[in-house]
Amino acid sequence: MQREEKQLEASLDALLSQVADLKNSLGSFIYKLENEYDRLTWPSVLDSFALLSGQLNTLNKVLKHEKTPLFRNQVIIPLVLSPDRDEDLMRQTEGRVPVFSHEVVPDHLRTKPDPEVEEQEKQLTTDAARIGADAAQQIQSLNKMCSNLLEKISKEERESESGGLRPNKQTFNPADTNALVAAVAFGKGLSNWRPSGSSGPGQPGQPGAGTILAGTSGLQQVQMAGAPSQQQPMLSGVQMAQAGQPGKMPSGIKTNIKSASMHPYQRS
């Protein structure tokens, strides 16, 4: 009996020592993150993680050692419960537990989860046992795909947050834009080629400036029909000159003008 008690005390001392080292390493690392973040480098962070990982592995080895008794078989029974402040308890717990009363005992001395949590865990274990090998492989593949997708989403979020530090990606070519503006505004780079079937303003088949002038002269002649008879020679000369040009209006207008130029009260 005494041998088992001594072995239990030695195991507890070793376990407390390992936990104290792990606690100190965590405290120093948290202090660096909170107070020395501006001078903190990535290699020092990796060193801190490596130290914590080594201490956790050592703690697991201590727990799995053959000389370490099974702590799950040990029962802790509170001897004294008091609502008063306990200075020794404060010192041993570093101020985290000021009193050892009925409120804190279930939380600190609990060895099993809540009944509801334990029931849910049993249900999950039962459901997992019913899954076959193929379904388990499919679930593992889906979990891997979800993990990769979440990693990509987190990477995109980090890149979007740091996007303000980088220039935006250019989506156009400035040279092509300037050439297009110059071609539209000033006709730069455009050729003077025309289709073979098109004709200029002076070519046959299209009404040119002569036709427009002829029509304008005809209108002037009609408007001046009510003028005195001494202007008739001038109008006749204009009409004769226009008649000799191609593309002029028919001579019926001239006949109408002559008949209209006669005085209505002139005797025959």
Side-chain angles (χ1 to χ4, degrees):
M1 188 66 182
Q2 292 180 357
R3 180 183 175 183
E4 293 179 357
E5 290 180 356
K6 289 181 180 180
Q7 187 177 1
L8 180 60
E9 290 179 0
S11 300
L12 286 175
D13 292 339
L15 185 62
L16 290 174
S17 176
Q18 295 296 329
V19 172
D21 294 340
L22 181 61
K23 175 178 171 296
N24 293 331
S25 300
L26 282 173
S28 61
F29 183 54
I30 292 173
Y31 178 82
K32 289 180 181 179
L33 292 177
E34 292 179 351
N35 300 301
E36 299 179 1
Y37 59 89
D38 53 346
R39 301 187 303 272
L40 196 62
T41 59
W42 183 244
S44 62
V45 174
L46 292 179
D47 293 340
S48 300
F49 275 115
L51 178 61
L52 294 173
S53 177
Q55 290 176 347
L56 286 173
N57 290 330
T58 304
L59 182 61
N60 289 329
K61 290 180 180 180
V62 171
L63 292 174
K64 294 179 181 179
H65 197 269
E66 57 183 6
K67 294 183 179 181
T68 302
L70 295 177
F71 293 104
R72 68 179 65 181
N73 296 332
Q74 305 296 324
V75 180
I76 300 176
I77 300 175
L79 300 178
V80 178
L81 297 177
S82 175
D84 299 333
R85 185 183 180 91
D86 192 348
E87 297 297 335
D88 294 337
L89 185 62
M90 283 280 293
R91 184 176 64 256
Q92 293 178 3
T93 59
E94 297 181 356
R96 292 190 296 271
V97 183
V99 296
F100 199 65
S101 61
H102 297 80
E103 296 180 359
V104 299
V105 165
D107 295 332
H108 291 282
L109 300 182
R110 185 187 300 276
T111 57
K112 297 176 66 176
D114 293 336
E116 297 178 357
V117 177
E118 188 175 3
E119 186 66 26
Q120 292 179 0
E121 185 177 359
K122 289 181 179 180
Q123 184 67 29
L124 292 175
T125 305
T126 305
D127 295 340
R130 295 176 182 174
I131 299 176
D134 297 338
Q137 187 176 2
Q138 293 180 359
I139 292 174
Q140 186 177 2
S141 301
L142 291 175
N143 289 335
K144 186 176 181 180
M145 292 175 59
C146 293
S147 300
N148 294 334
L149 183 60
L150 290 174
E151 185 178 356
K152 290 182 180 180
I153 292 174
S154 61
K155 183 179 179 181
E156 292 292 336
E157 290 179 353
R158 290 193 300 268
E159 290 180 356
S160 62
E161 290 177 357
S162 61
L165 303 178
R166 299 180 303 174
N168 295 328
K169 185 177 180 181
Q170 192 173 7
T171 58
F172 66 95
N173 190 354
D176 295 343
T177 303
N178 295 332
L180 181 60
V181 172
V184 173
F186 307 105
K188 184 178 179 180
L190 301 179
S191 61
N192 296 326
W193 178 83
R194 294 182 181 179
S196 59
S198 62
S199 59
Q203 297 179 359
Q206 290 185 356
T211 306
I212 298 176
L213 291 176
T216 307
S217 302
L219 292 176
Q220 290 178 357
Q221 293 171 4
V222 173
Q223 291 176 359
M224 296 173 63
S229 59
Q230 58 267 19
Q231 295 180 0
Q232 183 65 28
M234 182 180 63
L235 294 175
S236 300
V238 174
Q239 293 170 359
M240 291 176 65
Q242 293 175 354
Q245 297 179 0
K248 297 299 184 294
M249 297 180 66
S251 60
I253 300 177
K254 181 178 178 181
T255 305
N256 294 335
I257 293 174
K258 284 184 178 182
S259 60
S261 62
M262 298 176 61
H263 200 280
Y265 299 103
Q266 185 178 0
R267 294 180 181 179
S268 57

